[in-house]
Amino acid sequence: SRSDQGATWPSKSHQRHLYNLDKILVSGVGMEDDCAVGLQSIGSAIPTNTTIDNNTMYGGAQGVLLGRHQGTTISRNVMAGNFSQHLYFNGDATNLQVRDNLFANGGQYNLRTNSMERGGSYYFYRNRFWMPHATDQIYLGTDPNNGGIAADSAMDLWFYHNSFAGGVSAFITAFKPGYGPSTMKILNNVFSADSVVFNGWPEKMGAYDYNWQYRDAVNTSWSGPNNVFSSVPLWTSASFPNFQLPSGSTARSMGVDLSRSFTVGGSSYPALPGMAPGYFSGSRPDAGALQSGLPLLLLGDLNGDGQRTLIDVRWIIEMLVGTRLKDLATADINGSGSLTLADVQALIRLIVGIP
């Protein structure tokens, strides 16, 4: 095992698990059986309008494994320390929305898909990604069987208003030469990876604009003119960040308003899911998951249920002693930049109404 920020994480190899499986196993136990939540179609029956909300998934092989599905929402979860990846999603799904989650310390990746040639519609927004070791955050590719498929992505795949910290890269792409994620759109994100945004620059991209990016340039054939580059990272793999933009950051007020129709790369699009009017203050939105001056997270609401309760007190104590991942975005009540006993006391005062 390894220790980061006071929490003990499983190492990404040599883990053994003992299970009582209340399942009928047709072809033996495989990776698909080692996940916190698995969503699969059976014959013509397709899971529809499923919500996976407000869970902590920790220490297994995978957090969520998605097969074919429709209308799934994955929201407000904490996935940390799973030794393969936190979310594995296949193509051919309709309206998958992944929002307001924290993905941290995936053993291999934080997210992965191997089937971008299948199509479907996918929206990833307001998520926070942290990788404390030298691997990539998100793996994107086509079916790897028989050496891979010579095809472009057919996924209508969107990444917008997400924040990335640490790791070798935000994305690693695996496509045959001449092909790439041609239908993928990346807007209004903060990329503070330790090295590059893309590990292996894709030859094609649907749209890449209005992003804040540390260090490296991008493929000029598809990079938009409104990206902002910096020689200094906002966050690194060295410590778990609170993902808030500091005052004066060039990532502030640089995005495009996604709550109404907009144009990037010569193409016009309607308002995107989750982006209601008023989701930012000022004339333009900040890049990244958290908007300055208009917090999307209720301070002290550690379990994400929209209120401060004694459950949150239990969670903050667990964070303080190191048995739960520290999330400073909601737990740093007094704004000191670290978690201390004073934050526990401040949360109790908020709950009972003592100033």
Side-chain angles (χ1 to χ4, degrees):
S1 66
R2 57 176 288 166
S3 179
D4 288 298
Q5 294 298 292
T8 299
W9 308 85
S11 67
K12 60 181 181 180
S13 62
H14 308 298
Q15 296 189 65
R16 294 184 174 90
H17 300 273
L18 179 63
Y19 296 102
N20 291 317
L21 291 174
D22 297 319
K23 301 180 181 180
I24 298 175
L25 300 174
V26 178
S27 58
V29 179
M31 177 70 80
E32 291 80 7
D33 298 290
D34 194 348
C35 62
V37 179
L39 201 59
Q40 302 274 6
S41 60
I42 302 176
S44 60
I46 301 174
T48 302
N49 297 332
T50 302
T51 297
I52 303 170
D53 181 71
N54 197 24
N55 303 281
T56 298
M57 306 179 198
Y58 175 82
Q62 302 180 93
V64 177
L65 173 65
L66 297 179
R68 193 178 179 192
H69 57 97
Q70 296 178 349
T72 302
T73 298
I74 301 174
S75 56
R76 303 187 306 168
N77 300 285
V78 174
M79 303 188 202
N82 295 300
F83 70 85
S84 185
Q85 58 263 328
H86 302 317
L87 171 60
Y88 185 98
F89 59 103
N90 282 318
D92 201 23
T94 302
N95 193 28
L96 170 65
Q97 295 194 35
V98 180
R99 62 171 180 84
D100 300 301
N101 300 283
L102 172 63
F103 300 99
N105 196 39
Q108 188 174 24
Y109 307 104
N110 279 329
L111 274 60
R112 178 169 185 156
T113 183
N114 281 339
S115 51
M116 295 186 73
E117 76 281 357
R118 296 186 190 176
S121 51
Y122 306 78
Y123 304 91
F124 291 78
Y125 57 95
R126 291 199 305 263
N127 300 291
R128 293 163 291 150
F129 298 85
W130 180 58
M131 186 65 78
H133 52 90
T135 191
D136 307 285
Q137 300 241 23
I138 299 175
Y139 178 98
L140 302 173
T142 53
D143 190 335
N145 294 323
N146 301 316
I149 293 177
D152 286 326
S153 169
M155 282 185 175
D156 185 23
L157 176 60
W158 293 82
F159 279 87
Y160 51 98
H161 282 299
N162 302 284
S163 294
F164 293 79
V168 171
S169 73
F171 301 99
I172 181 171
T173 56
F175 288 85
K176 291 286 190 178
Y179 299 95
S182 56
T183 54
M184 181 178 178
K185 277 77 70 174
I186 303 175
L187 307 170
N188 290 7
N189 300 282
V190 168
F191 295 112
S192 189
D194 288 350
S195 183
V196 295
V197 174
F198 289 93
N199 187 353
W201 291 107
E203 298 184 36
K204 299 179 180 179
M205 180 67 63
Y208 183 88
D209 210 353
Y210 297 97
N211 301 291
W212 187 97
Q213 181 178 324
Y214 167 56
R215 183 178 287 179
D216 61 326
V218 297
N219 188 320
T220 55
S221 67
W222 45 251
S223 176
N226 302 291
N227 296 299
V228 173
F229 303 93
S230 174
S231 60
V232 179
L234 280 171
W235 318 296
T236 70
S237 61
S239 61
F240 183 76
N242 62 14
F243 292 99
Q244 296 173 348
L245 299 177
S247 177
S249 170
T250 54
R252 290 195 178 195
S253 300
M254 59 154 290
V256 59
D257 185 356
L258 303 180
S259 68
R260 57 185 181 180
S261 60
F262 60 94
T263 300
V264 291
S267 298
S268 296
Y269 303 94
L272 294 180
M275 300 291 108
Y279 80 88
F280 62 91
S281 60
S283 59
R284 297 175 63 180
D286 299 340
L290 304 179
Q291 295 292 312
S292 57
L294 192 63
L296 297 170
L297 302 173
L298 176 64
L299 195 62
D301 176 24
L302 278 68
N303 68 347
D305 65 354
Q307 56 188 336
R308 304 182 186 104
T309 67
L310 292 179
I311 295 175
D312 298 304
V313 175
R314 187 188 73 194
W315 278 39
I316 198 172
I317 293 172
E318 291 174 355
M319 290 180 185
L320 187 63
V321 299
T323 58
R324 184 179 294 275
L325 174 67
K326 295 178 184 178
D327 185 358
L328 293 182
T330 53
D332 183 16
I333 311 297
N334 62 8
S336 66
S338 61
L339 185 60
T340 67
L341 183 59
D343 294 299
V344 180
Q345 296 169 334
L347 177 57
I348 294 173
R349 289 197 297 270
L350 287 172
I351 293 173
V352 299
I354 299 175

